[in-house]
Amino acid sequence: MKNLVILGGGYGGMRMLARLLPNLPENISITLVDRHPYHCLKTEYYALAAGTISDQHIRVAFPEHPRLNVVFGEIIEISLESNKVLLNDNSEIQYDDLIIGLGCEDKYHNVSGAKEYTYSIQSIENARCTYERLNNLPPDSIVSIVGAGLSGVELASELIESRPDLKIKLFDRGKHILAAFPERLSTYVENWFDNHNVEIISNSNITRMEENTVFNHDEPIPSDCIVWTAGIQPNIVVREMEAEKDSQGRLVITPYHNLPNNEHVYVVGDCASLPHAPSAQLAEGQADQIVQILLKRWNNEELLEALPTIKLKGILGSLGKKHGFGLVNEKAITGRVARLLKSGILWMYRYHNG
């Protein structure tokens, strides 16, 4: 019996289980390793931190199957030489094929004090802590959000609707927020923030942090809570692996999503070096292809000479509960339609996976 070990029950891991379990070959068992006994909807952590949804709304149970073994634990090392995964309780899991989908952590860009004095929404534990801090603040408190990409924008918009009594400052290095989006969408979101009294501080340069203080261009800005959304990096277990990585610390992979010179170790999601920005949609696209590759290799069939390009349908962001923005098939959309689309996609995901 061959053992396929999946590290991380994120979007990629869940998609692989959904594709493999209904027709799992008789000689294959699967071991899923995760810190939690459920799949977490990471794209909704901003709402958990803002206090507009409860914890249970972003949890989805893992599937059940006679040959699926779910192990709960913290992964501390991956040994490529001995085909083993080591957990923090000193237990080991042997694998024949391995999927690395351990996600990402905050990247602080060597900003002094950032790790010590800021809150995060990169894990469900961090989002819970951030929720507790934000929602215990007294009226008129100042919240500084560092980073105005999708996560920072969604957190700021959700928080100002949840706590309109707070004063929110959104720091961004660029001239316009949401640098990855067309300027039209950036302007739309900036106008929404202006109408909701969120202060955008553009062309910022955060030089250091102290307790309750952000230093922008070395000028101190008092803050009652600071949330960091200004960058990500692969999980530390991946960063410490002795394997080829790109400049961002992500594992270099072949067109078949496995490590070079090791066709039994695959990488999915935030840990994989890919030409696109990390996203749930990209991880699911990878997972679909990895499943096809595994089935062919298990059956000793030839692989396709080239895999099709993973097509991303677009990206959607929310501005509170009633408005949104995004790109769908390269077309910019804003307002209620964008928000309804995002809500519908989330509902469909939970419906099919819950």
Side-chain angles (χ1 to χ4, degrees), residues 38-263:
Y38 43 75
H39 166 59
C40 302
L41 302 179
K42 186 174 183 179
T43 58
E44 304 306 301
Y45 285 173
Y46 71 93
L48 175 61
T52 56
I53 61 172
S54 68
D55 197 289
Q56 70 180 41
H57 282 91
I58 58 173
R59 302 199 306 250
V60 176
F62 290 132
E64 296 181 358
H65 189 276
R67 279 178 283 130
L68 170 63
N69 179 34
V70 181
V71 176
F72 308 122
E74 191 80 28
I75 299 157
I76 60 174
E77 185 181 349
I78 299 169
S79 174
L80 299 177
E81 292 182 356
S82 56
N83 290 12
K84 292 189 298 188
V85 176
L86 180 65
L87 304 184
N88 60 346
D89 61 359
N90 291 323
S91 63
E92 297 177 346
I93 300 174
Q94 200 81 29
Y95 67 82
D96 294 286
D97 291 291
L98 180 69
I99 311 293
I100 301 174
L102 292 174
C104 63
E105 304 170 355
D106 288 297
K107 185 174 183 178
Y108 297 104
H109 306 288
N110 297 317
V111 175
S112 175
K115 183 176 182 179
E116 294 79 9
Y117 300 118
T118 66
Y119 287 80
S120 167
I121 59 171
Q122 278 304 323
S123 69
I124 194 167
E125 298 96 334
N126 289 338
R128 288 168 179 153
C129 291
T130 303
Y131 158 76
E132 184 175 359
R133 175 59 180 162
L134 289 173
N135 287 277
N136 282 330
L137 290 172
D140 297 320
S141 295
I142 298 172
V143 176
S144 292
I145 299 174
V146 180
L150 187 59
S151 295
V153 163
E154 290 192 308
L155 175 61
S157 62
E158 199 80 6
L159 184 59
I160 199 63
E161 285 201 350
S162 171
R163 292 286 309 271
D165 56 293
L166 299 177
K167 297 177 181 177
I168 299 176
K169 299 178 183 291
L170 183 60
F171 293 83
D172 189 63
R173 295 182 63 181
K175 181 180 178 181
H176 293 284
I177 63 174
L178 294 170
F181 288 81
E183 188 172 330
R184 173 195 163 190
L185 289 181
S186 299
T187 302
Y188 172 82
V189 176
E190 287 171 349
N191 289 337
W192 190 94
F193 279 140
D194 186 53
N195 293 331
H196 289 77
N197 299 315
V198 174
E199 181 183 358
I200 298 174
I201 302 175
S202 302
N203 299 309
S204 64
N205 180 24
I206 307 303
T207 50
R208 72 182 193 275
M209 300 278 188
E210 293 181 1
E211 188 172 7
N212 296 332
T213 307
V214 177
F215 286 83
N216 182 32
H217 296 281
D218 288 327
E219 292 294 324
I221 299 175
S223 305
D224 296 290
C225 179
I226 309 166
V227 185
W228 186 272
T229 63
I232 59 172
Q233 60 185 343
N235 183 285
I236 189 170
V237 175
V238 168
R239 300 203 307 273
E240 292 180 347
M241 286 178 62
E242 293 185 5
E244 185 180 357
K245 304 182 185 75
D246 65 12
S247 60
Q248 299 179 52
R250 301 177 302 182
L251 292 167
V252 172
I253 56 176
T254 72
Y256 298 103
H257 306 289
N258 57 268
L259 295 182
N261 303 318
N262 193 332
E263 66 177 36

